Amino acid sequence: MTLRYFLLLLAPLGARAQTAAPPLPDTARTVRLPDATVTGYGQRLPLRRTAAAIGVIDAQTIDRFNPAALTQAVNTLPGVRLEERATASYRLSIRGSTLRSPFGVRNVKTYYNGIPFTDAGGTTPLNLLDPAIIGRLEVVKGPGGSVYGAGTGGVALFETPAVAAGTARASAGATVGSYGLLRYGATAEAAGPTSAVRAQYAHQQLDGYRQQSNLRRDVLALDVRTAAGDKTTLAAHFLYTDINYQLPGGLTRAQFEADPRQARPGTAAVPGTVAQRTFYASRTALLGLTHTYQFSDALGLETTLYGSGTAIRTPYLVDYQRDAGLGLGGRTALRYRTALAGRVLRLQAGGEYQFGFVDGRSYANLAGTPGALRYDDEITTTTGFAFAQADYELPAGLLLTVAASYNRLHYNIERVSDALTRPDAYRFQRSFRPEVSPRVALLKEFSPAASVYASVSAGFSPPTVEEIRPSDGSLNGGLQAERGVSYEVGARGSFFANRLRYEVAVFDLELRQTITSSTTTQGIVVFNNAGATHQRGVEAGLSGWLWQQAGAGGGPARPPPACAPGPALPTTTSASAAPTWGRAATPAATACPARPPKPSARASISASAPASTSAPTLATKLASSSTTPTPLRLWATGCMGPAGAGATTWPATWMSTSSPASTTPWTAATASVTT
């Protein structure tokens, strides 16, 4: 009888050392992990164990497409569409969320390396990100309010590329193309055992296909990570973007058919975009700091603080907008893993707070230069939420998720000067009523190659500052927040030894007080509540490998060596002596475990033997104090075979950051293993 035994540790981000945790019951079975780990709703589980529709693209996917824009790579995800309204002016739609977004990104919460990237006012400056600095994008589809706060469209999690330990490299490159495309950039990165640093610069310029559509963008990204102690990890992320691109404006169908390359022509009411020299220009700096502390193997805390500053100039058809903004905020999450009634229970709780201040001035646009002051507003926004979530492993391969968040939002707009309509200063305040956004989901895993799930989630999306304060100078104090409930069922899995993967989801999002847009005769976009809408759809995706190296990237791997089944290994949390660093362990048990761990379960495996025992060895890297054993993390494939039976050894790597404090020869070792 041949058994396959594959164990993979999924450690929390930044955990450098652990302390012993109480053993959890053996609720495990042998599996191959056919898919990557996803952040999802904060629990970092394998995709097959996540009861939500989640799409992931990595740096390899981004590199296969046009390096000048993210659109083609992102649009490979079912239910997600990224559009360019103008060159580098993005609209991100998740399940139709751009219903209220004729420009910009709204109703989608976005994070950059765990830093809240959507500002307190609800706007996401996606144009600040160059494709070259993106190493991974994870999209959570549907309301994510139970963990991520306001928004009924979804959540986008951007990450910069990671640096492999023990590497150091520098690179530079350039790209040229049609319509005046020129890209060049440089990257330098290095990583040691406990620290990593990565710096990247990217420049892009483009004349554009249409009139009034050229672009210039310079992006500098710096990422630093280091282990500040056995239990502490620190990370810093800096992003600076200087961007300037012209705005050609929209065309009617007749204008497009006449000349698709023309900019928006003028009318009797307002001149065109060429005459007004319309453009968008901004300089933005963002700095975020993340501190991760692992109290024990079961308990960890991650906290992120950030600050940002931006200056924006935008002349359009009527007005010339000049804004200066400041943003501050942070997010914290406490995660705990335990057992309840013999089953694994994961808990997390935390909160997020954001503060934003904008000094927004509007002038008359005189062919691309500011004219008379129209109004001057000081806008203060505060928003925050607290959240809690529980994931409970039930019998029969079921996983139950229950979560909710409590949300608050307050706007304060003080018009200090209004030269056109109201010369007296006045103040507009708006506090939206507290909102609770719950989510309940249930997943059933039939095998490592197939799972189904169902979820019900609620969310709300308040109007953004741009929607309350459009460019015509009015203040839309009556605009209400959207509220909605999403119903979803889905399935995912794989065939042919994981060569072919599939996913399908059916959803129904019922929105109330839906915010929609309309355009005035002067070309100004204004917003109103339009009642109820129903956003329903089916998403399906299919991907596969025509050829892949054996064992790489989750593809087909060689079968493990044959070995005879044996009794279950004893469960223990102690060692009879402290092991030495680098000493080879010689396990007494030479048979495959009869009851290997199930996914998302924890098991303790012990091995002991006199140093002179002749048996297959287990390659180890051990460290501990002189008094208590250090919990160790295991990456293993294959299984142990009996000595002399022609079976190979069980390859493994033990990892710990503790320094050896004892050189006592060991006779037993204990490892805490998590799949």
Side-chain angles (χ1 to χ4, degrees):
M1 179 179 182
T2 301
L3 297 178
R4 297 184 179 183
Y5 192 59
F6 293 87
L7 298 175
L8 174 64
L9 171 72
L10 302 177
L13 178 64
R16 299 292 179 177
Q18 312 289 335
T19 59
L24 298 183
D26 180 9
T27 59
R29 65 179 178 277
T30 301
V31 297
R32 280 193 60 187
L33 301 182
D35 44 24
T37 299
V38 296
T39 300
Y41 285 88
Q43 289 289 28
R44 299 188 182 98
L45 294 172
L47 182 58
R48 72 176 195 280
R49 300 286 292 164
T50 303
I54 297 178
V56 179
I57 59 173
D58 55 18
Q60 292 182 342
T61 303
I62 296 173
D63 291 343
R64 284 200 294 265
F65 295 96
N66 183 1
L70 283 169
T71 50
Q72 294 177 338
V74 174
N75 290 340
T76 62
L77 300 176
V80 181
R81 182 170 179 80
L82 184 64
E83 301 173 344
E84 282 190 284
R85 173 176 172 264
T87 305
S89 177
Y90 292 117
R91 297 199 314 161
L92 179 60
S93 176
I94 302 177
R95 294 180 172 177
S97 62
T98 52
L99 185 64
R100 60 190 269 195
S101 303
F103 57 89
V105 178
R106 302 188 184 94
N107 203 23
V108 175
K109 191 68 178 291
T110 305
Y111 292 81
Y112 174 78
N113 285 323
I115 304 167
F117 198 66
T118 300
D119 62 29
T123 299
T124 301
L126 207 58
N127 51 13
L128 304 184
L129 302 180
D130 188 273
I133 70 169
I134 303 302
R136 175 184 168 91
L137 169 61
E138 184 175 320
V139 178
V140 180
K141 307 170 192 176
S146 61
V147 172
Y148 295 109
T152 57
V155 182
L157 308 173
F158 289 90
E159 296 180 7
T160 51
V163 185
T167 62
R169 72 181 186 94
S171 62
T175 302
V176 296
S178 57
Y179 303 107
L181 172 65
L182 173 62
R183 281 181 56 87
Y184 57 84
T187 302
E189 60 184 28
T194 60
S195 299
V197 61
R198 186 177 195 275
Q200 185 167 5
Y201 168 76
H203 170 86
Q204 179 173 322
Q205 62 188 56
L206 180 69
D207 293 338
Y209 173 76
R210 297 176 61 191
Q211 290 179 304
Q212 196 70 15
S213 63
N214 67 28
L215 159 74
R216 178 195 55 78
R217 178 174 60 200
D218 294 276
V219 179
L220 174 64
L222 177 64
D223 304 299
V224 180
R225 295 178 175 87
T226 184
D230 289 346
K231 299 182 179 181
T232 303
T233 302
L234 298 176
H237 304 283
F238 175 75
L239 175 69
Y240 176 78
T241 301
D242 183 354
I243 186 170
N244 187 315
Y245 57 87
Q246 295 177 326
L247 299 172
L251 300 176
T252 65
R253 184 178 183 86
Q255 292 167 345
F256 175 81
E257 292 176 347
D259 182 6
R261 300 188 62 177
Q262 68 174 314
R264 176 174 177 162
T267 65
V270 64
T273 56
V274 174
Q276 289 294 74
R277 299 180 181 177
T278 58
F279 67 86
Y280 172 93
S282 72
R283 294 179 179 179
T284 303
L286 170 69
L287 175 63
L289 303 174
T290 299
H291 174 270
T292 303
Y293 189 83
Q294 202 71 24
F295 297 94
S296 69
D297 189 55
L299 180 65
L301 176 67
E302 184 174 287
T303 301
T304 297
L305 301 176
Y306 79 93
S308 65
T310 185
I312 301 174
R313 295 179 296 127
T314 310
Y316 201 56
L317 297 178
V318 175
D319 63 319
Y320 190 116
Q321 193 76 25
R322 301 186 70 170
D323 296 344
L326 173 69
L328 300 170
R331 177 182 176 88
T332 186
L334 182 70
R335 299 181 179 92
Y336 180 63
R337 176 191 173 106
T338 184
L340 178 64
R343 298 287 170 179
V344 177
L345 174 65
R346 302 179 192 87
L347 302 172
Q348 68 167 326
E352 184 175 308
Y353 172 81
Q354 290 182 274
F355 167 84
F357 174 80
V358 176
D359 181 7
R361 299 181 181 183
S362 177
Y363 302 85
N365 183 15
L366 304 180
T369 60
L373 178 67
R374 302 173 69 230
Y375 53 85
D376 183 359
D377 291 345
E378 294 181 351
I379 307 162
T380 303
T381 308
T382 56
T383 181
F385 62 90
F387 68 91
Q389 177 172 300
D391 294 87
Y392 189 41
E393 302 275 357
L394 298 173
L398 295 172
L399 174 64
L400 175 66
T401 300
V402 179
S405 68
Y406 176 82
N407 303 262
R408 299 297 302 267
L409 173 65
H410 176 78
Y411 288 127
N412 182 84
I413 303 176
E414 185 172 352
R415 182 151 294 176
V416 297
S417 177
D418 188 344
L420 295 181
T421 59
R422 297 190 60 175
D424 298 329
Y426 72 95
R427 176 176 295 177
F428 168 80
Q429 295 189 33
R430 178 77 179 276
S431 292
F432 291 86
R433 74 184 190 190
E435 295 283 347
V436 176
S437 299
R439 178 175 181 267
V440 178
L442 184 65
L443 178 140
K444 165 66 176 177
E445 184 180 14
F446 295 98
S447 71
S451 63
V452 298
Y453 67 89
S455 69
V456 179
S457 57
F460 87 110
S461 180
T464 66
V465 170
E466 287 79 5
E467 292 167 338
I468 289 180
R469 178 182 167 270
S471 59
D472 64 353
S474 63
L475 290 173
N476 192 351
L479 197 61
Q480 300 297 314
E482 292 181 335
R483 294 173 178 84
V485 179
S486 175
Y487 306 90
E488 179 179 341
V489 294
R492 60 172 60 93
S494 63
F495 296 106
F496 309 120
N498 204 37
R499 284 187 179 273
L500 187 66
R501 302 181 185 181
Y502 68 89
E503 59 177 314
V504 61
V506 180
F507 65 90
D508 180 8
L509 176 59
E510 305 289 333
L511 280 178
R512 306 185 308 277
Q513 298 290 347
T514 305
I515 298 176
T516 59
S517 64
S518 59
T519 305
T520 67
T521 56
Q522 291 185 317
I524 297 172
V525 178
V526 294
F527 300 87
N528 297 281
N529 294 109
T533 58
H534 309 280
Q535 295 174 213
R536 300 165 179 164
V538 178
E539 300 166 351
L542 186 66
S543 62
W545 290 96
L546 296 178
W547 175 87
Q548 188 180 19
Q549 184 178 0
R558 297 177 181 177
C563 55
L569 292 176
T571 299
T572 178
T573 57
S574 63
S576 60
T580 59
W581 183 271
R583 185 178 295 274
T586 308
T590 57
C592 294
R595 289 201 309 157
K598 288 183 180 178
S600 302
R602 191 181 308 276
S604 293
I605 298 177
S606 66
S608 62
S612 60
T613 300
S614 176
T617 60
L618 188 64
T620 60
K621 187 178 183 182
L622 301 171
S624 75
S625 67
S626 59
T627 56
T628 58
T630 300
L632 307 169
R633 297 196 174 279
L634 172 66
W635 176 294
T637 58
C639 68
M640 291 186 297
T648 59
T649 61
W650 186 354
T653 301
W654 302 91
M655 297 174 290
S656 173
T657 58
S658 300
S659 299
S662 171
T663 57
T664 305
W666 70 279
T667 57
T670 301
S672 178
V673 180
T674 305
T675 62

